[in-house]
Every structure is written in C-alpha cells, then in structure tokens.
Amino acid sequence: MARQRSILGLDVGTYSVKAVELTGIGDDVRVTGLGWERIPSPDMVEDTIHAVLANNNLRARRVVTSVSGRSVIVRHVTMMPMPPEELRQAVRYEADKYIPYDVDDVQLDCQQLGPADEAGSQIRVLLVAAKRQLIEEHIGMLKRVDLQPAMIDVDLFALANAFELCNARAELAAEGEAVALVDIGASKTSICVMKGMADCFTREVYTAGNAMTDAVAKRFGESPTAVEGMKEDPGEAISSMSDAMLPVIDDLGSEVRLSFDYYENQFEQTVSKVYVSGGSIMFPPMLDALKNSFELETNRFNPFETVNVEVADDVIIHEKASDMVVAFGLASRLRGM
Ligand SMILES: Nc1ncnc2c1ncn2[C@@H]1O[C@H](COP(=O)(O)OP(=O)(O)OP(=O)(O)O)[C@@H](O)[C@H]1O
Ligand SMILES: [Mg+2]
C-alpha cells in the first residue's frame, strides 16, 4: 500500500512567511495545511516562522525551504557532454568562471537540462551556488524552530515546480507551449520562462514591491511604512497610487520582456502567455498594469484552483493564493521523496 507522507514548504521572504503543507499518497497530492504571516521587522523572522507554525496547527516537521537573493547564483551554462559524476567535478573545477565567490565558500549543485544538442557536442547545464554560511544560518534557524530541513531549494525552481504540478492537472500551458512565470515579491522578482523543465530559463531581478512602495511614498510624501498600509487598503487613493507605480512597472516590464527575447532567441520558441504571482499582485490594478507592460496575455497564477485543498482558510485560499506559489512549489518536492 502506498505510504502517506507530508512535507511543509516554507517560503521565508523579506516581507512575509508563507507555509504550505502537502500530503501525498502515491501520485495524489492534497493541501493539508496553510499559513501566512507578515514579518514585522527583520529581527523577527524566527518569531514569525514560529507564529506561522503555531497559529495554523501545522504538523509536518520535514521542511523544504529556499535561500535566495544576491548570494545565491543560478547560471545556465553549456559544457561538453559527460556523465553526471564527471559533470560535478568539471563544474567545481570551472566554477570560478561563473561565480564571483571562492569555490570553497559555496555549496555547488548542477544538473543537465535536456539532451545534448544535435551534433552531440554540447549540453546545457544548470548551475546553482549558494554561500555556505547562508545555508548554515538558514538550517540553524529551522532547527531552532524544531523543523527538520529535508532540502534547501531556490525560489526560481519552486516557481517552476509549482507550475509543473498544476499544469499536470489543469492545462495551464498546451503541449509545446512556452510560458513565463513572474513572481513579484517585496525585494525581488523571479522570472522563469519555460516549456517543460528541460527548456527553462530563469532570472532574478531586484525591482519589485519595495520599489513600488518607495515610488508611492515619494509621490505622497509618506513613509514606506504608511504606504504598506495604503497598498492593502487603498480606498480613493488607488488610481494615483497606481500612477505613481507605473514607472516601476514599466522598468520591470522591460526586464521581463528582455527575458522573453533571450528565450525566444535561445530556444527559437515564442512565449505565449504569462502567469504572475507574489504579494505585489494583490494590489488590484496590478494585473492590468502588468498585462500592458508585458504586452502579452497575463493571468494570475492560483495553485489552489488545481489541487485539492483540505484547509478552511478562505483568506489564504482566495485572496493570498498567488502569494503562496513559492511555498507550494517548495512543498511539491514531496513528489520526489
Ligand atoms: N494585500 C496586499 N495588497 C497590495 N500589496 C500587497 C498586499 N500584501 C502584500 N503586498 C505587497 O507585496 C509585497 C510582498 O510580497 P511577498 O509576500 O511575495 O514578498 P516576499 O516573498 O516576502 O519578498 P521577497 O521574495 O522579495 O523577499 C510587498 O511589497 C507588499 O507591499
Ligand atoms: Mg518571495
């Protein structure tokens, strides 16, 4: 008989902590726990994780989390075809070409993407490097809140994995269709253009919700903290707030369109639509503004529309659904465990 197992996907952002517990029996995966809490200040991250676990009765102790930001480096490189073990060695040997840190200070991982090219002379390799110290601190924090880290992932892959899991259930992208996933958080935007996992391109840019907050703060002569409150409850200020954010949205749009262009050149495949997620898209005018800026069909990515949810938390399931995508994608590693 298939064994029931649970994993907690824990997305510790700079603005909020998100948790999704997935429980699976065989291929069947259900959402059995959800949590969301705002981080009141940077020194309260651990307390916030603790609150997410305690307030939502989350029981799974095995956790998949992510490290992200500028000290995590994701590179797509081409190499000569070779077996996985040799690839690891070769990547280590050549790592200083791709990463700005001492190889001894980083944890390196790599994976071949897709088959070799037609001539059999090159393979595409995904390389991930994260500062050891960052990972150790992260693991230390998880242990202090009584969690058992099963895997440390990267937000960009969680985004892609969330999409894969949902796409297998509901046709979000047709066979052979390339789509872009754009997750707009507070400090960063994660971009993943993909046609299946093998043909994927990822990039992180540091234009996101904080830059929008700052633009509104400047226009209104308010503090960023006051603007955070206004973003959640804009009232009549909504259209002038939205106007103030436009230059930032346009900057972000150009970055995202650059990634489309790169993908289209590299893979000779047109990107046909975008799925957006992250806390920043909860601002009501955002979806339309992004659609205009991307110049492509743009949809909100809601993972709970495709997977069974056994939790009665209407706010998270409906209003915050798109903010839960990364946590959901982290938990989706359950399928390989
Ligand atoms: N209800 C809301 N309405 C409008 N904007 C919101 C709302 N809730 C959050 N935001 C905005 O979303 C952003 C936070 O998004 P998110 O929770 O995805 O960030 P994060 O994952 O913690 O950050 P990062 O991944 O960048 O470290 C903030 O800029 C915040 O102002
Ligand atoms: Mg985030």
Side-chain angles (χ1 to χ4, degrees):
M1 210 174 86
R3 187 171 52 95
Q4 173 169 317
R5 65 230 192 277
S6 295
I7 279 281
L8 191 68
L10 186 70
D11 174 12
V12 183
T14 52
Y15 182 89
S16 60
V17 174
K18 284 78 72 178
V20 173
E21 182 187 278
L22 285 183
T23 298
I25 303 178
D27 276 345
D28 176 46
V29 175
R30 291 164 287 137
V31 176
T32 49
L34 290 170
W36 187 102
E37 294 286 338
R38 169 114 185 242
I39 301 169
S41 65
D43 60 337
M44 299 277 286
V45 175
E46 206 169 304
D47 300 276
T48 311
I49 299 175
H50 198 75
V52 166
L53 299 174
N55 297 349
N56 301 286
N57 194 24
L58 298 172
R59 281 177 303 250
R61 281 294 163 266
R62 284 211 308 158
V63 63
V64 177
T65 54
S66 56
V67 284
S68 59
R70 290 174 211 262
S71 40
V72 180
I73 292 164
V74 178
R75 291 271 183 277
H76 295 251
V77 302
T78 50
M79 297 183 76
M80 274 165 36
M82 62 186 96
E85 260 323 297
E86 279 176 43
L87 185 65
R88 277 179 187 282
Q89 292 294 331
V91 159
R92 222 183 143 68
Y93 196 66
E94 291 188 31
D96 58 347
K97 277 211 298 214
Y98 311 113
I99 53 174
Y101 306 121
D102 192 326
V103 186
D104 293 331
D105 292 342
V106 298
Q107 183 88 39
L108 264 179
D109 207 349
C110 63
Q111 194 180 337
Q112 178 172 341
L113 293 174
D117 63 352
E118 276 169 22
S121 59
Q122 280 194 325
I123 53 171
R124 285 182 302 109
V125 177
L126 181 66
L127 187 149
V128 185
K131 280 267 185 88
R132 263 181 218 288
Q133 197 192 347
L134 179 76
I135 296 178
E136 278 158 17
E137 282 168 11
H138 201 74
I139 291 176
M141 183 176 68
L142 297 173
K143 289 191 171 157
R144 286 196 297 278
V145 291
D146 217 14
L147 291 172
Q148 302 156 10
M151 186 192 272
I152 308 282
D153 206 338
V154 175
D155 286 8
L156 289 162
F157 305 152
L159 191 58
N161 282 323
F163 187 79
E164 280 282 291
L165 177 56
C166 293
N167 197 29
R169 276 143 221 267
E171 200 171 89
L172 301 178
E175 182 80 31
E177 186 181 14
V179 301
L181 314 174
V182 179
D183 185 279
I184 313 172
S187 66
K188 66 174 193 301
T189 295
S190 306
I191 305 166
C192 176
V193 190
M194 62 191 279
K195 187 187 75 180
M197 285 307 220
D199 285 346
C200 95
F201 168 74
T202 57
R203 198 157 81 94
E204 216 163 71
V205 297
Y206 297 96
T207 304
N210 289 343
M212 297 176 200
T213 299
D214 291 346
V216 175
K218 214 165 164 186
R219 170 82 63 97
F220 283 69
E222 292 280 0
S223 69
T225 312
V227 173
E228 288 298 354
M230 290 165 68
K231 278 170 99 175
E232 281 188 39
D233 186 13
E236 285 177 1
I238 195 158
S239 65
S240 36
M241 288 175 69
S242 178
D243 280 351
M245 290 181 192
L246 265 186
V248 181
I249 294 169
D250 279 341
D251 277 355
L252 186 59
S254 331
E255 291 285 356
V256 170
R257 288 198 311 272
L258 269 179
S259 299
F260 296 169
D261 292 347
Y262 177 84
Y263 190 86
E264 292 179 355
N265 278 320
Q266 192 81 10
F267 295 93
E268 294 173 4
Q269 166 100 31
T270 315
V271 179
S272 54
K273 59 186 171 203
V274 189
Y275 284 96
V276 287
S277 58
S280 290
I281 71 156
M282 288 195 264
F283 186 63
M286 194 56 74
L287 190 62
D288 280 334
L290 291 170
K291 194 178 291 183
N292 287 334
S293 180
F294 298 157
E295 297 169 355
L296 264 191
E297 178 189 328
T298 301
N299 308 298
R300 180 171 179 253
F301 181 15
N302 179 348
F304 306 136
E305 277 171 1
T306 58
V307 174
N308 284 335
V309 183
E310 296 179 349
V311 190
D313 188 325
D314 280 342
V315 174
I316 298 186
I317 295 168
H318 298 290
E319 288 166 33
K320 297 198 189 298
S322 300
D323 201 12
M324 306 301 287
V325 167
V326 168
F328 178 83
L330 292 169
S332 77
R333 294 279 189 180
L334 171 79
R335 291 180 304 165
M337 289 178 174

